[in-house]
mmCIF file of all heavy atoms in Angstrom:
data_model
loop_
_atom_site.group_PDB
_atom_site.id
_atom_site.type_symbol
_atom_site.label_atom_id
_atom_site.label_comp_id
_atom_site.label_asym_id
_atom_site.label_seq_id
_atom_site.Cartn_x
_atom_site.Cartn_y
_atom_site.Cartn_z
ATOM 1 N N PHE G 136 -9.810 -16.426 -29.071
ATOM 2 C CA PHE G 136 -10.677 -15.883 -28.012
ATOM 3 C C PHE G 136 -11.373 -14.667 -28.603
ATOM 4 O O PHE G 136 -10.769 -13.631 -28.851
ATOM 5 C CB PHE G 136 -9.828 -15.463 -26.826
ATOM 6 C CG PHE G 136 -10.595 -15.001 -25.614
ATOM 7 C CD1 PHE G 136 -10.871 -15.864 -24.587
ATOM 8 C CD2 PHE G 136 -11.007 -13.701 -25.506
ATOM 9 C CE1 PHE G 136 -11.575 -15.430 -23.445
ATOM 10 C CE2 PHE G 136 -11.699 -13.239 -24.403
ATOM 11 C CZ PHE G 136 -12.009 -14.110 -23.360
ATOM 12 N N SER G 137 -12.652 -14.846 -28.925
ATOM 13 C CA SER G 137 -13.455 -13.772 -29.560
ATOM 14 C C SER G 137 -14.385 -13.190 -28.513
ATOM 15 O O SER G 137 -15.156 -13.925 -27.895
ATOM 16 C CB SER G 137 -14.285 -14.349 -30.724
ATOM 17 O OG SER G 137 -15.195 -13.396 -31.188
ATOM 18 N N GLY G 138 -14.303 -11.870 -28.313
ATOM 19 C CA GLY G 138 -15.161 -11.292 -27.311
ATOM 20 C C GLY G 138 -15.353 -9.811 -27.515
ATOM 21 O O GLY G 138 -14.628 -9.144 -28.227
ATOM 22 N N PRO G 139 -16.387 -9.255 -26.815
ATOM 23 C CA PRO G 139 -16.637 -7.828 -26.909
ATOM 24 C C PRO G 139 -15.617 -7.021 -26.109
ATOM 25 O O PRO G 139 -14.736 -7.598 -25.427
ATOM 26 C CB PRO G 139 -18.014 -7.719 -26.231
ATOM 27 C CG PRO G 139 -18.109 -8.894 -25.316
ATOM 28 C CD PRO G 139 -17.351 -9.996 -25.988
ATOM 29 N N VAL G 140 -15.671 -5.720 -26.210
ATOM 30 C CA VAL G 140 -14.783 -4.863 -25.434
ATOM 31 C C VAL G 140 -14.950 -5.156 -23.960
ATOM 32 O O VAL G 140 -16.099 -5.427 -23.507
ATOM 33 C CB VAL G 140 -14.999 -3.369 -25.755
ATOM 34 C CG1 VAL G 140 -14.647 -3.045 -27.194
ATOM 35 C CG2 VAL G 140 -16.427 -2.979 -25.455
ATOM 36 N N GLY G 141 -13.859 -5.097 -23.210
ATOM 37 C CA GLY G 141 -13.963 -5.327 -21.807
ATOM 38 C C GLY G 141 -14.087 -6.764 -21.358
ATOM 39 O O GLY G 141 -14.414 -7.038 -20.200
ATOM 40 N N SER G 142 -13.845 -7.742 -22.266
ATOM 41 C CA SER G 142 -14.032 -9.142 -21.903
ATOM 42 C C SER G 142 -12.704 -9.811 -21.476
ATOM 43 O O SER G 142 -12.700 -11.021 -21.209
ATOM 44 C CB SER G 142 -14.622 -9.913 -23.076
ATOM 45 O OG SER G 142 -13.849 -9.812 -24.239
ATOM 46 N N GLY G 143 -11.639 -9.038 -21.353
ATOM 47 C CA GLY G 143 -10.367 -9.605 -20.823
ATOM 48 C C GLY G 143 -9.525 -10.293 -21.870
ATOM 49 O O GLY G 143 -8.803 -11.225 -21.568
ATOM 50 N N LYS G 144 -9.608 -9.841 -23.106
ATOM 51 C CA LYS G 144 -8.864 -10.529 -24.176
ATOM 52 C C LYS G 144 -7.352 -10.367 -24.053
ATOM 53 O O LYS G 144 -6.620 -11.349 -24.170
ATOM 54 C CB LYS G 144 -9.334 -9.986 -25.548
ATOM 55 C CG LYS G 144 -10.806 -10.278 -25.870
ATOM 56 C CD LYS G 144 -11.207 -9.832 -27.242
ATOM 57 C CE LYS G 144 -11.143 -8.320 -27.393
ATOM 58 N NZ LYS G 144 -12.102 -7.618 -26.531
ATOM 59 N N SER G 145 -6.876 -9.151 -23.787
ATOM 60 C CA SER G 145 -5.406 -8.940 -23.674
ATOM 61 C C SER G 145 -4.823 -9.648 -22.467
ATOM 62 O O SER G 145 -3.730 -10.171 -22.522
ATOM 63 C CB SER G 145 -5.085 -7.446 -23.623
ATOM 64 O OG SER G 145 -5.084 -6.908 -24.941
ATOM 65 N N GLN G 146 -5.607 -9.683 -21.371
ATOM 66 C CA GLN G 146 -5.169 -10.390 -20.204
ATOM 67 C C GLN G 146 -5.001 -11.887 -20.517
ATOM 68 O O GLN G 146 -3.994 -12.507 -20.168
ATOM 69 C CB GLN G 146 -6.139 -10.187 -19.049
ATOM 70 C CG GLN G 146 -5.764 -10.885 -17.749
ATOM 71 C CD GLN G 146 -4.675 -10.133 -16.977
ATOM 72 O OE1 GLN G 146 -4.065 -10.700 -16.071
ATOM 73 N NE2 GLN G 146 -4.429 -8.885 -17.314
ATOM 74 N N ALA G 147 -6.011 -12.476 -21.214
ATOM 75 C CA ALA G 147 -5.933 -13.872 -21.571
ATOM 76 C C ALA G 147 -4.762 -14.150 -22.499
ATOM 77 O O ALA G 147 -4.031 -15.148 -22.371
ATOM 78 C CB ALA G 147 -7.231 -14.294 -22.242
ATOM 79 N N LEU G 148 -4.550 -13.252 -23.465
ATOM 80 C CA LEU G 148 -3.429 -13.417 -24.422
ATOM 81 C C LEU G 148 -2.097 -13.450 -23.657
ATOM 82 O O LEU G 148 -1.267 -14.351 -23.880
ATOM 83 C CB LEU G 148 -3.425 -12.222 -25.385
ATOM 84 C CG LEU G 148 -2.328 -12.236 -26.420
ATOM 85 C CD1 LEU G 148 -2.778 -13.025 -27.644
ATOM 86 C CD2 LEU G 148 -1.941 -10.823 -26.828
ATOM 87 N N CYS G 149 -1.877 -12.484 -22.800
ATOM 88 C CA CYS G 149 -0.565 -12.404 -22.102
ATOM 89 C C CYS G 149 -0.385 -13.506 -21.056
ATOM 90 O O CYS G 149 0.716 -14.032 -20.901
ATOM 91 C CB CYS G 149 -0.406 -11.038 -21.459
ATOM 92 S SG CYS G 149 -0.281 -9.701 -22.676
ATOM 93 N N GLN G 150 -1.458 -13.897 -20.372
ATOM 94 C CA GLN G 150 -1.344 -15.020 -19.430
ATOM 95 C C GLN G 150 -1.001 -16.319 -20.186
ATOM 96 O O GLN G 150 -0.199 -17.101 -19.707
ATOM 97 C CB GLN G 150 -2.669 -15.182 -18.689
ATOM 98 C CG GLN G 150 -2.968 -14.042 -17.688
ATOM 99 C CD GLN G 150 -2.160 -14.100 -16.432
ATOM 100 O OE1 GLN G 150 -1.378 -15.045 -16.198
ATOM 101 N NE2 GLN G 150 -2.373 -13.129 -15.560
ATOM 102 N N GLU G 151 -1.572 -16.522 -21.350
ATOM 103 C CA GLU G 151 -1.275 -17.711 -22.148
ATOM 104 C C GLU G 151 0.165 -17.659 -22.633
ATOM 105 O O GLU G 151 0.849 -18.701 -22.657
ATOM 106 C CB GLU G 151 -2.248 -17.822 -23.320
ATOM 107 C CG GLU G 151 -2.116 -19.094 -24.139
ATOM 108 C CD GLU G 151 -2.620 -20.314 -23.407
ATOM 109 O OE1 GLU G 151 -3.229 -20.195 -22.288
ATOM 110 O OE2 GLU G 151 -2.413 -21.432 -23.896
ATOM 111 N N ALA G 152 0.635 -16.494 -23.019
ATOM 112 C CA ALA G 152 2.009 -16.352 -23.455
ATOM 113 C C ALA G 152 2.992 -16.709 -22.328
ATOM 114 O O ALA G 152 4.007 -17.413 -22.561
ATOM 115 C CB ALA G 152 2.281 -14.924 -23.951
ATOM 116 N N ILE G 153 2.753 -16.207 -21.148
ATOM 117 C CA ILE G 153 3.594 -16.533 -20.001
ATOM 118 C C ILE G 153 3.583 -18.029 -19.697
ATOM 119 O O ILE G 153 4.654 -18.649 -19.485
ATOM 120 C CB ILE G 153 3.185 -15.717 -18.757
ATOM 121 C CG1 ILE G 153 3.410 -14.219 -18.974
ATOM 122 C CG2 ILE G 153 3.912 -16.199 -17.503
ATOM 123 C CD1 ILE G 153 2.827 -13.304 -17.941
ATOM 124 N N ARG G 154 2.402 -18.600 -19.709
ATOM 125 C CA ARG G 154 2.265 -20.034 -19.434
ATOM 126 C C ARG G 154 3.068 -20.867 -20.414
ATOM 127 O O ARG G 154 3.841 -21.785 -20.066
ATOM 128 C CB ARG G 154 0.789 -20.450 -19.481
ATOM 129 C CG ARG G 154 0.543 -21.876 -19.000
ATOM 130 C CD ARG G 154 -0.948 -22.213 -19.053
ATOM 131 N NE ARG G 154 -1.385 -22.382 -20.428
ATOM 132 C CZ ARG G 154 -1.313 -23.543 -21.093
ATOM 133 N NH1 ARG G 154 -0.777 -24.606 -20.516
ATOM 134 N NH2 ARG G 154 -1.759 -23.656 -22.319
ATOM 135 N N LEU G 155 2.917 -20.538 -21.716
ATOM 136 C CA LEU G 155 3.648 -21.309 -22.727
ATOM 137 C C LEU G 155 5.148 -21.078 -22.718
ATOM 138 O O LEU G 155 5.937 -21.941 -23.117
ATOM 139 C CB LEU G 155 3.084 -20.996 -24.107
ATOM 140 C CG LEU G 155 1.695 -21.591 -24.382
ATOM 141 C CD1 LEU G 155 1.130 -21.066 -25.715
ATOM 142 C CD2 LEU G 155 1.733 -23.125 -24.385
ATOM 143 N N SER G 156 5.574 -19.903 -22.232
ATOM 144 C CA SER G 156 7.016 -19.665 -22.101
ATOM 145 C C SER G 156 7.628 -20.572 -21.003
ATOM 146 O O SER G 156 8.820 -20.873 -21.026
ATOM 147 C CB SER G 156 7.305 -18.188 -21.838
ATOM 148 O OG SER G 156 6.952 -17.841 -20.493
ATOM 149 N N TYR G 157 6.828 -20.927 -20.009
ATOM 150 C CA TYR G 157 7.285 -21.866 -18.981
ATOM 151 C C TYR G 157 7.189 -23.301 -19.433
ATOM 152 O O TYR G 157 8.067 -24.118 -19.193
ATOM 153 C CB TYR G 157 6.473 -21.656 -17.680
ATOM 154 C CG TYR G 157 7.044 -20.552 -16.800
ATOM 155 C CD1 TYR G 157 6.737 -19.236 -17.067
ATOM 156 C CD2 TYR G 157 7.894 -20.855 -15.718
ATOM 157 C CE1 TYR G 157 7.246 -18.202 -16.303
ATOM 158 C CE2 TYR G 157 8.420 -19.807 -14.961
ATOM 159 C CZ TYR G 157 8.104 -18.505 -15.235
ATOM 160 O OH TYR G 157 8.644 -17.487 -14.472
ATOM 161 N N VAL G 158 6.073 -23.651 -20.094
ATOM 162 C CA VAL G 158 5.921 -25.007 -20.625
ATOM 163 C C VAL G 158 7.050 -25.324 -21.606
ATOM 164 O O VAL G 158 7.603 -26.420 -21.607
ATOM 165 C CB VAL G 158 4.562 -25.147 -21.317
ATOM 166 C CG1 VAL G 158 4.475 -26.482 -22.087
ATOM 167 C CG2 VAL G 158 3.450 -25.087 -20.285
ATOM 168 N N ASN G 159 7.379 -24.329 -22.451
ATOM 169 C CA ASN G 159 8.433 -24.537 -23.464
ATOM 170 C C ASN G 159 9.741 -23.849 -23.025
ATOM 171 O O ASN G 159 10.198 -22.884 -23.657
ATOM 172 C CB ASN G 159 7.968 -23.975 -24.799
ATOM 173 C CG ASN G 159 6.799 -24.719 -25.379
ATOM 174 O OD1 ASN G 159 6.902 -25.872 -25.696
ATOM 175 N ND2 ASN G 159 5.638 -24.061 -25.455
ATOM 176 N N ALA G 160 10.267 -24.331 -21.920
ATOM 177 C CA ALA G 160 11.464 -23.675 -21.362
ATOM 178 C C ALA G 160 12.591 -23.669 -22.353
ATOM 179 O O ALA G 160 12.878 -24.651 -23.028
ATOM 180 C CB ALA G 160 11.875 -24.440 -20.094
ATOM 181 N N GLY G 161 13.232 -22.477 -22.469
ATOM 182 C CA GLY G 161 14.384 -22.351 -23.316
ATOM 183 C C GLY G 161 14.057 -22.163 -24.791
ATOM 184 O O GLY G 161 14.967 -21.980 -25.622
ATOM 185 N N ARG G 162 12.774 -22.165 -25.154
ATOM 186 C CA ARG G 162 12.389 -22.029 -26.574
ATOM 187 C C ARG G 162 11.923 -20.621 -26.892
ATOM 188 O O ARG G 162 11.782 -19.761 -26.019
ATOM 189 C CB ARG G 162 11.284 -23.046 -26.933
ATOM 190 C CG ARG G 162 11.496 -24.454 -26.419
ATOM 191 C CD ARG G 162 12.898 -24.969 -26.611
ATOM 192 N NE ARG G 162 13.321 -25.007 -28.015
ATOM 193 C CZ ARG G 162 14.607 -25.128 -28.405
ATOM 194 N NH1 ARG G 162 15.565 -25.225 -27.514
ATOM 195 N NH2 ARG G 162 14.866 -25.174 -29.688
ATOM 196 N N TRP G 163 11.618 -20.394 -28.148
ATOM 197 C CA TRP G 163 11.228 -19.069 -28.647
ATOM 198 C C TRP G 163 9.696 -18.980 -28.864
ATOM 199 O O TRP G 163 9.103 -19.943 -29.401
ATOM 200 C CB TRP G 163 11.891 -18.741 -29.987
ATOM 201 C CG TRP G 163 13.379 -18.531 -29.872
ATOM 202 C CD1 TRP G 163 14.336 -19.484 -29.702
ATOM 203 C CD2 TRP G 163 14.048 -17.285 -29.958
ATOM 204 N NE1 TRP G 163 15.579 -18.903 -29.697
ATOM 205 C CE2 TRP G 163 15.470 -17.531 -29.838
ATOM 206 C CE3 TRP G 163 13.652 -15.955 -30.124
ATOM 207 C CZ2 TRP G 163 16.403 -16.528 -29.874
ATOM 208 C CZ3 TRP G 163 14.602 -14.968 -30.191
ATOM 209 C CH2 TRP G 163 15.958 -15.263 -30.037
ATOM 210 N N GLY G 164 9.139 -17.866 -28.483
ATOM 211 C CA GLY G 164 7.736 -17.560 -28.805
ATOM 212 C C GLY G 164 7.622 -16.156 -29.354
ATOM 213 O O GLY G 164 8.601 -15.379 -29.289
ATOM 214 N N LEU G 165 6.442 -15.782 -29.848
ATOM 215 C CA LEU G 165 6.260 -14.447 -30.437
ATOM 216 C C LEU G 165 4.938 -13.889 -30.014
ATOM 217 O O LEU G 165 3.918 -14.587 -30.028
ATOM 218 C CB LEU G 165 6.345 -14.520 -31.981
ATOM 219 C CG LEU G 165 6.186 -13.253 -32.760
ATOM 220 C CD1 LEU G 165 7.029 -13.284 -34.051
ATOM 221 C CD2 LEU G 165 4.689 -12.986 -33.164
ATOM 222 N N LEU G 166 4.948 -12.585 -29.633
ATOM 223 C CA LEU G 166 3.730 -11.843 -29.377
ATOM 224 C C LEU G 166 3.642 -10.727 -30.415
ATOM 225 O O LEU G 166 4.576 -9.968 -30.606
ATOM 226 C CB LEU G 166 3.754 -11.227 -27.958
ATOM 227 C CG LEU G 166 3.131 -12.058 -26.825
ATOM 228 C CD1 LEU G 166 3.264 -11.293 -25.507
ATOM 229 C CD2 LEU G 166 1.689 -12.392 -27.118
ATOM 230 N N GLY G 167 2.459 -10.614 -31.056
ATOM 231 C CA GLY G 167 2.325 -9.633 -32.119
ATOM 232 C C GLY G 167 1.024 -8.837 -32.000
ATOM 233 O O GLY G 167 0.068 -9.280 -31.333
ATOM 234 N N ALA G 168 1.001 -7.687 -32.630
ATOM 235 C CA ALA G 168 -0.183 -6.849 -32.721
ATOM 236 C C ALA G 168 -0.187 -6.162 -34.097
ATOM 237 O O ALA G 168 0.826 -6.136 -34.781
ATOM 238 C CB ALA G 168 -0.180 -5.812 -31.601
ATOM 239 N N PRO G 169 -1.343 -5.688 -34.565
ATOM 240 C CA PRO G 169 -1.421 -5.142 -35.919
ATOM 241 C C PRO G 169 -0.399 -4.055 -36.254
ATOM 242 O O PRO G 169 0.097 -4.012 -37.375
ATOM 243 C CB PRO G 169 -2.865 -4.599 -35.985
ATOM 244 C CG PRO G 169 -3.611 -5.419 -34.990
ATOM 245 C CD PRO G 169 -2.648 -5.686 -33.898
ATOM 246 N N THR G 170 -0.135 -3.147 -35.322
ATOM 247 C CA THR G 170 0.854 -2.064 -35.553
ATOM 248 C C THR G 170 1.749 -1.940 -34.370
ATOM 249 O O THR G 170 1.453 -2.439 -33.277
ATOM 250 C CB THR G 170 0.110 -0.734 -35.778
ATOM 251 O OG1 THR G 170 -0.539 -0.348 -34.560
ATOM 252 C CG2 THR G 170 -0.885 -0.812 -36.923
ATOM 253 N N TYR G 171 2.871 -1.244 -34.567
ATOM 254 C CA TYR G 171 3.788 -1.084 -33.444
ATOM 255 C C TYR G 171 3.198 -0.289 -32.278
ATOM 256 O O TYR G 171 3.388 -0.681 -31.142
ATOM 257 C CB TYR G 171 5.099 -0.416 -33.916
ATOM 258 C CG TYR G 171 6.081 -0.271 -32.773
ATOM 259 C CD1 TYR G 171 6.724 -1.357 -32.213
ATOM 260 C CD2 TYR G 171 6.328 0.999 -32.230
ATOM 261 C CE1 TYR G 171 7.599 -1.221 -31.134
ATOM 262 C CE2 TYR G 171 7.189 1.166 -31.140
ATOM 263 C CZ TYR G 171 7.826 0.048 -30.622
ATOM 264 O OH TYR G 171 8.678 0.187 -29.544
ATOM 265 N N PRO G 172 2.461 0.829 -32.534
ATOM 266 C CA PRO G 172 1.846 1.522 -31.390
ATOM 267 C C PRO G 172 0.894 0.620 -30.588
ATOM 268 O O PRO G 172 0.885 0.670 -29.384
ATOM 269 C CB PRO G 172 1.091 2.676 -32.029
ATOM 270 C CG PRO G 172 1.866 2.959 -33.316
ATOM 271 C CD PRO G 172 2.303 1.615 -33.773
ATOM 272 N N MET G 173 0.111 -0.218 -31.265
ATOM 273 C CA MET G 173 -0.796 -1.117 -30.544
ATOM 274 C C MET G 173 0.000 -2.157 -29.776
ATOM 275 O O MET G 173 -0.345 -2.516 -28.646
ATOM 276 C CB MET G 173 -1.750 -1.759 -31.520
ATOM 277 C CG MET G 173 -2.796 -0.825 -32.140
ATOM 278 S SD MET G 173 -3.768 -1.551 -33.461
ATOM 279 C CE MET G 173 -4.743 -2.754 -32.531
ATOM 280 N N LEU G 174 1.092 -2.627 -30.357
ATOM 281 C CA LEU G 174 1.948 -3.607 -29.698
ATOM 282 C C LEU G 174 2.525 -2.985 -28.421
ATOM 283 O O LEU G 174 2.494 -3.618 -27.339
ATOM 284 C CB LEU G 174 3.065 -4.017 -30.623
ATOM 285 C CG LEU G 174 4.135 -4.998 -30.081
ATOM 286 C CD1 LEU G 174 3.501 -6.375 -29.806
ATOM 287 C CD2 LEU G 174 5.303 -5.104 -31.035
ATOM 288 N N ARG G 175 3.047 -1.769 -28.516
ATOM 289 C CA ARG G 175 3.712 -1.121 -27.372
ATOM 290 C C ARG G 175 2.695 -0.718 -26.308
ATOM 291 O O ARG G 175 2.905 -0.971 -25.104
ATOM 292 C CB ARG G 175 4.447 0.091 -27.888
ATOM 293 C CG ARG G 175 5.186 0.885 -26.792
ATOM 294 C CD ARG G 175 5.729 2.210 -27.293
ATOM 295 N NE ARG G 175 4.682 3.069 -27.764
ATOM 296 C CZ ARG G 175 4.609 3.608 -28.955
ATOM 297 N NH1 ARG G 175 5.499 3.296 -29.869
ATOM 298 N NH2 ARG G 175 3.617 4.420 -29.272
ATOM 299 N N GLU G 176 1.609 -0.100 -26.749
ATOM 300 C CA GLU G 176 0.682 0.526 -25.749
ATOM 301 C C GLU G 176 -0.297 -0.423 -25.133
ATOM 302 O O GLU G 176 -0.823 -0.158 -24.043
ATOM 303 C CB GLU G 176 -0.060 1.676 -26.458
ATOM 304 C CG GLU G 176 0.881 2.815 -26.884
ATOM 305 C CD GLU G 176 0.233 3.741 -27.906
ATOM 306 O OE1 GLU G 176 -1.014 3.687 -28.069
ATOM 307 O OE2 GLU G 176 0.942 4.527 -28.564
ATOM 308 N N ALA G 177 -0.628 -1.509 -25.804
ATOM 309 C CA ALA G 177 -1.625 -2.425 -25.304
ATOM 310 C C ALA G 177 -0.994 -3.791 -24.902
ATOM 311 O O ALA G 177 -0.964 -4.148 -23.734
ATOM 312 C CB ALA G 177 -2.745 -2.645 -26.274
ATOM 313 N N THR G 178 -0.448 -4.490 -25.883
ATOM 314 C CA THR G 178 0.036 -5.859 -25.643
ATOM 315 C C THR G 178 1.223 -5.878 -24.692
ATOM 316 O O THR G 178 1.196 -6.578 -23.670
ATOM 317 C CB THR G 178 0.419 -6.516 -26.990
ATOM 318 O OG1 THR G 178 -0.565 -6.214 -27.980
ATOM 319 C CG2 THR G 178 0.530 -8.019 -26.807
ATOM 320 N N GLN G 179 2.270 -5.130 -25.028
ATOM 321 C CA GLN G 179 3.455 -5.158 -24.163
ATOM 322 C C GLN G 179 3.169 -4.570 -22.794
ATOM 323 O O GLN G 179 3.632 -5.140 -21.789
ATOM 324 C CB GLN G 179 4.571 -4.374 -24.834
ATOM 325 C CG GLN G 179 5.253 -5.111 -25.988
ATOM 326 C CD GLN G 179 6.427 -4.318 -26.555
ATOM 327 O OE1 GLN G 179 6.230 -3.229 -27.115
ATOM 328 N NE2 GLN G 179 7.619 -4.843 -26.404
#
């Protein structure tokens, strides 16, 4: 998903992660970001 600032990229990322965690019940998935501060402050 390539888009300019304010285009809802992080929302799309996290909604897709939640959806796949239900589709793949009981399995493992991973969410990542370039650095730990970005992971904590934006993605998580």
